[in-house]
C-alpha cells in the first residue's frame, strides 16, 4: 500500500491529507501542536486561522470566488468546512475560527487511513513527503529544509488584527451596513468626521511599535495585502482613506452623508459576540493599541479579547527550487505546499495542498500527473510558483515592445506596479519607454525614475458610473501626450500602409 507523510496540519496540510486519503493512500500527518506552538498559533485544532477570518469574496467573477469554485469541484475540505461554519460577511466567505478549526480537525481524524502524529518534526521522513509546515516552520525543521534546498530563505512580516467584544461597542455611535448595500448589512461601521480622523491619524503615526531585533530589521519587508495599519498611515495623511478606511459606498445615518473615513468591524464568530477590526493588522505595543484604537468612534470603551500581533514568515525561492507540481526539483520525492511556497492567502495555500497531493497520488498510482490548464486559477498557481524565466521574461518583453513600436510607430506604454518595474524591468533599456505606474493609496509616488501616468486608486467614484473606477494623474505636456498616440508625428499614413 502506498504511503505519504504530510508535515503540518494547517490549511495546505489538511487539504493534502484529505485528497490523498480520499484517493486510497495511507497518510501519516505530523502536527507539532499541542506539544509545541509557533509564536502566532494558540488554538489546539488543525487549520487555525491566525490573521483574518475571511476567505475572501464568493463572486464567481472575482479571482477568489473562482478559485474556491475550482477547489470545490476538486472536493476541497477547506471550502466544505468554511461553508459549514460561515458567519455573515456580506459577499465574502468568513468563518467562525474555532468552529472551522474543529470541523477540519474532526474530518481529518475521522479518515481511517490517516494517522496523526503530534510533536515537532526536525528531520524529513523517508519516502514521499509533502512539507506544509507553513511560514512559521520551527527553527529545527527550517534548518533541515535550508540544508536540503541549498538556498537562503526569503522572509516577510505578516500581521493580524485586534478583536473586540460586541457588548463593549457603543452601538449608539455605530451602524450596520455594507458598501453599496451589497448583500446583508453584516458589518459594523465606525464613521469618522474630518477632525476625528486627523486626530486618530496623528495618534497612530506617533504610537510606539514593538522593536525589531537588528537581524530582523535587515530583512524587514511587509506583505502589501496584510500591511500593518501604522505603516500604511505613515505613507500620508489620506492614505488610509483610500485603503481600509475608505468611506465609499456608505452613508452615515446620523448625518445623511458619506463619512470622511470609515472603519468596518466583521463578525468573528457564529454567535456574533466578537468582531475583528477589518484591515487593522498591527505591530503596535499592546497598551498603544488600547489607547489609539479606543479613539475609533464607538470603541471608546472596547474590550479587546485579542490584540494585533506581527510575526516573521519564511518561504522558499520556489521558481528556482520547485516544479509546477510543487515537487523539489533536486529530490522529487519531496513536495512543498502552502504559504511557504510563495502563494499568498488562505485559499491559495489550501489550493496548493490539493495540487501537490493530486500530483503525488497520480505518480503513486502509476499515472502521469497533469498540470491544470493555464486559463484556470489552479493552473495559474502552478505556473506562478515555478516560473524561473525572469531573464527570458525581460528579453521577451523587449522583443514585444520592438514589434509593437515597429508596427504602430509609437512607443508602447509600460503599465505595471512600481516594485515589479524595479525588480524585473530595471534595465536602462526599459527607461526609453513611457511608464504608467500603478501605486495605490499613497500621497506621492515612491518610484524614483521617470513616469508619465500614475494610477493612484482603483476605488474612485464618478457620478453616473456604478462601481469603482481608476483615477490617474498625467505627468507631462499636451504635446508629449500626443506623441504617445498612434498616428502621431505624421505617421498615420505610414501606419495605414
Amino acid at each position: 500500500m502506498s504511503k505519504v507523510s504530510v508535515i503540518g496540519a494547517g490549511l495546505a496540510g489538511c487539504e493534502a491529507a484529505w485528497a490523498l486519503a480520499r484517493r486510497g493512500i495511507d497518510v501519516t500527518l505530523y502536527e507539532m501542536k499541542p506539544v509545541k506552538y509557533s509564536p502566532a498559533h494558540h488554538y489546539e485544532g488543525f487549520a487555525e486561522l491566525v490573521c483574518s477570518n475571511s476567505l475572501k469574496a464568493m463572486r464567481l467573477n472575482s479571482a477568489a470566488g473562482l478559485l474556491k469554485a475550482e477547489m470545490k469541484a476538486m472536493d476541497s475540505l477547506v471550502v466544505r468546512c468554511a461553508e459549514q461554519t460561515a458567519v455573515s460577511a456580506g459577499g465574502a466567505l468568513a468563518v467562525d475560527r474555532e468552529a472551522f478549526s474543529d470541523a477540519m480537525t474532526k474530518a481529518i481524524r475521522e479518515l481511517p487511513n490517516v494517522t496523526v502524529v503530534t510533536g515537532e518534526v526536525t528531520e524529513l521522513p523517508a519516502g514521499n513527503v509533502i512539507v506544509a509546515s507553513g511560514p512559521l516552520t520551527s527553527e529545527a525543521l527550517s534548518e533541515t529544509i535550508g540544508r536540503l534546498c541549498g538556498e537562503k530563505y526569503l522572509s516577510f512580516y505578516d500581521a493580524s488584527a485586534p478583536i473586540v467584544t460586541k457588548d463593549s461597542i457603543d452601538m449608539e455611535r455605530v451602524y450596520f451596513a455594507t458598501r453599496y448595500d451589497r448583500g446583508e448589512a453584516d458589518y459594523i461601521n465606525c464613521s469618522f468626521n474630518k477632525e476625528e480622523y486627523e486626530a486618530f491619524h496623528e495618534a497612530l503615526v506617533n504610537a510606539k511599535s514593538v522593536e525589531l531585533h537588528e537581524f530582523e530589521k535587515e530583512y524587514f519587508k511587509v506583505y502589501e495585502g496584510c500591511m500593518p495599519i501604522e505603516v500604511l498611515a505613515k505613507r500620508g495623511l489620506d492614505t488610509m482613506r483610500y485603503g481600509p478606511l475608505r468611506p465609499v459606498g456608505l452613508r452615515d445615518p446620523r448625518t445623511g452623508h458619506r463619512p470622511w473615513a470609515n472603519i468596518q468591524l466583521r463578525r468573528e464568530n457564529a454567535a456574533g459576540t466578537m468582531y475583528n477590526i477589518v484591515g487593522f493588522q498591527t505591530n503596535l505595543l499592546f497598551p498603544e493599541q488600547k489607547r489609539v484604537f479606543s479613539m475609533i468612534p464607538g470603541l471608546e470603551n472596547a474590550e479587546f479579547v485579542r490584540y494585533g500581533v506581527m510575526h516573521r514568515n519564511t518561504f522558499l525561492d520556489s521558481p528556482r527550487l520547485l516544479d509546477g507540481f510543487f515537487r523539489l526539483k533536486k529530490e522529487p520525492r519531496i513536495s512543498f505546499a502552502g504559504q511557504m511556497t510563495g502563494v499568498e492567502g488562505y485559499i491559495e495555500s489550501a489550493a496548493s495542498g490539493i495540487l501537490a497531493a493530486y500530483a503525488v497520488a497520480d505518480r503513486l498510482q502509476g499515472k502521469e500527473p497533469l498540470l491544470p490548464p493555464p486559463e484556470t486559477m489552479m493552473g495559474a498557481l502552478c505556473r506562478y510558483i515555478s516560473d524561473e524565466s525572469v531573464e527570458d521574461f525581460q528579453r521577451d518583453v523587449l522583443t514585444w515592445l520592438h514589434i509593437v513600436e515597429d508596427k504602430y510607430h509609437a512607443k508602447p506604454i509600460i503599465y505595471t506596479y512600481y516594485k515589479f518595474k524595479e525588480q524585473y524591468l530595471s534595465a536602462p533599456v526599459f527607461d526609453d519607454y513611457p511608464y504608467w505606474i500603478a501605486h495605490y493609496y499613497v500621497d506621492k509616488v515612491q518610484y524614483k525614475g521617470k513616469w508619465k501616468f500614475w494610477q493612484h486608486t482603483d476605488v474612485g467614484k464618478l457620478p453616473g458610473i456604478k462601481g469603482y473606477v481608476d483615477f490617474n494623474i498625467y505627468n507631462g505636456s499636451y504635446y508629449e501626450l500626443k506623441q504617445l498616440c498612434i498616428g502621431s508625428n505624421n505617421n498615420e499614413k505610414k501606419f495605414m500602409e
Side-chain angles (χ1 to χ4, degrees):
M1 177 68 70
S2 302
K3 185 175 182 178
V4 178
S5 298
V6 177
I7 301 175
L11 296 173
C14 284
E15 286 281 28
W18 176 263
L20 290 164
R22 303 272 282 188
R23 295 275 293 267
I25 296 171
D26 287 344
V27 177
T28 301
L29 176 61
Y30 296 88
E31 171 54 48
M32 70 178 188
K33 295 190 306 182
V35 176
K36 184 176 181 179
Y37 288 83
S38 80
H41 290 86
H42 307 286
Y43 194 63
E44 186 173 330
F46 299 163
E48 180 183 359
L49 304 181
V50 300
C51 292
S52 168
N53 67 326
S54 173
L55 276 65
K56 301 181 183 177
M58 288 294 293
R59 303 187 313 275
L60 282 177
N61 63 350
S62 69
L66 184 58
L67 178 56
K68 284 193 283 291
E70 292 181 11
M71 292 168 63
K72 190 171 184 177
M74 298 178 74
D75 193 28
S76 165
L77 179 62
V78 166
V79 174
R80 176 186 299 193
C81 292
E83 291 178 342
Q84 292 172 356
T85 60
V87 298
S88 298
L93 177 59
V95 301
D96 181 312
R97 293 177 202 255
E98 293 188 4
F100 171 75
S101 176
D102 291 345
M104 292 285 293
T105 305
K106 182 174 184 292
I108 293 296
R109 287 191 177 278
E110 288 180 347
L111 290 168
N113 52 342
V114 172
T115 301
V116 178
V117 177
T118 57
E120 182 182 4
V121 174
T122 59
E123 299 290 337
L124 298 185
N128 290 286
V129 182
I130 297 178
V131 182
S133 49
L136 292 170
T137 296
S138 69
E139 184 176 350
L141 181 56
S142 184
E143 289 177 357
T144 297
I145 295 170
R147 290 194 301 269
L148 172 69
C149 295
E151 296 281 346
K152 182 179 178 181
Y153 271 126
L154 304 173
S155 65
F156 66 93
Y157 284 81
D158 203 356
S160 56
I163 299 172
V164 299
T165 62
K166 183 184 178 184
D167 287 345
S168 67
I169 301 170
D170 183 354
M171 300 306 291
E172 296 294 322
R173 298 206 63 190
V174 300
Y175 56 96
F176 281 92
T178 55
R179 287 190 172 89
Y180 302 108
D181 296 322
R182 292 173 180 161
E184 298 295 323
D186 296 320
Y187 289 84
I188 293 177
N189 292 268
C190 307
S191 293
F192 293 81
N193 61 33
K194 187 173 186 290
E195 292 73 25
E196 290 170 335
Y197 172 80
E198 291 181 352
F200 176 73
H201 178 271
E202 178 71 16
L204 183 57
V205 298
N206 290 300
K208 295 179 181 179
S209 297
V210 177
E211 284 290 329
L212 298 176
H213 299 292
E214 288 302 318
F215 74 91
E216 293 176 318
K217 292 178 182 177
E218 181 180 358
Y219 300 108
F220 180 76
K221 290 185 287 186
V222 292
Y223 165 39
E224 290 280 332
C226 206
M227 178 174 292
I229 190 66
E230 62 272 14
V231 175
L232 188 65
K234 289 174 182 178
R235 290 183 171 182
L237 176 60
D238 287 325
T239 305
M240 295 188 296
R241 294 180 60 238
Y242 289 91
L245 274 74
R246 61 189 182 276
V248 294
L250 295 167
R251 189 173 298 276
D252 187 340
R254 297 173 300 176
T255 65
H257 300 292
R258 190 176 81 174
W260 184 257
N262 188 83
I263 290 172
Q264 292 193 311
L265 311 182
R266 181 175 55 228
R267 184 183 292 192
E268 176 66 25
N269 60 356
T273 59
M274 296 185 292
Y275 279 75
N276 64 66
I277 310 177
V278 178
F280 264 60
Q281 299 79 222
T282 183
N283 192 40
L284 295 181
L285 294 168
F286 288 176
E288 292 289 79
Q289 291 185 44
K290 174 65 175 175
R291 179 181 68 85
V292 177
F293 297 159
S294 293
M295 296 175 67
I296 297 171
L299 301 190
E300 292 85 356
N301 299 302
E303 176 189 2
F304 289 81
V305 295
R306 186 190 77 180
Y307 287 107
V309 294
M310 191 167 78
H311 46 269
R312 188 183 185 200
N313 288 347
T314 55
F315 60 97
L316 298 168
D317 186 7
S318 292
R320 256 58 65 183
L321 297 172
L322 307 182
D323 65 14
F325 300 107
F326 293 82
R327 296 179 298 192
L328 189 63
K329 293 175 184 177
K330 63 183 293 185
E331 196 165 345
R333 76 174 182 89
I334 300 172
S335 301
F336 288 86
Q339 196 171 355
M340 68 188 310
T341 66
V343 297
E344 298 173 349
Y346 291 148
I347 55 172
E348 294 85 353
S349 297
S352 70
I354 298 173
L355 291 163
Y358 267 61
V360 172
D362 282 342
R363 293 197 311 275
L364 291 177
Q365 294 174 344
K367 304 173 184 177
E368 187 66 28
L370 297 174
L371 282 176
E375 297 84 3
T376 64
M377 292 297 298
M378 299 288 261
L381 274 181
C382 294
R383 290 159 178 83
Y384 169 73
I385 62 98
S386 61
D387 183 6
E388 58 177 324
S389 61
V390 172
E391 292 183 3
D392 291 340
F393 168 75
Q394 291 188 344
R395 182 197 63 208
D396 292 344
V397 168
L398 193 59
T399 299
W400 183 88
L401 291 170
H402 289 161
I403 291 172
V404 173
E405 188 172 1
D406 289 344
K407 173 66 176 178
Y408 295 106
H409 305 286
K411 281 191 175 295
I413 299 170
I414 297 176
Y415 170 84
T416 184
Y417 184 50
Y418 84 99
K419 288 187 178 179
F420 187 93
K421 174 74 161 60
E422 290 178 340
Q423 184 172 359
Y424 298 114
L425 299 175
S426 59
V429 65
F430 293 109
D431 293 337
D432 292 337
Y433 293 88
Y435 175 33
W436 195 320
I437 182 172
H439 193 191
Y440 304 151
Y441 320 137
V442 292
D443 288 338
K444 62 181 180 179
V445 177
Q446 294 185 10
Y447 178 66
K448 303 302 182 183
K450 297 179 180 179
W451 57 271
K452 282 295 180 187
F453 301 90
W454 170 25
Q455 182 180 344
H456 59 88
T457 182
D458 59 346
V459 291
K461 289 292 293 181
L462 286 175
I465 300 178
K466 293 183 178 180
Y468 300 131
V469 297
D470 300 335
F471 281 173
N472 300 273
I473 294 174
Y474 170 63
N475 180 30
S477 66
Y478 178 73
Y479 173 78
E480 291 170 331
L481 182 61
K482 289 288 289 184
Q483 304 308 303
L484 300 176
C485 299
I486 294 175
S488 63
N489 297 321
N490 297 317
N491 283 326
E492 187 164 1
K493 181 178 179 182
K494 188 174 181 180
F495 161 66
M496 294 301 292
E497 293 174 354

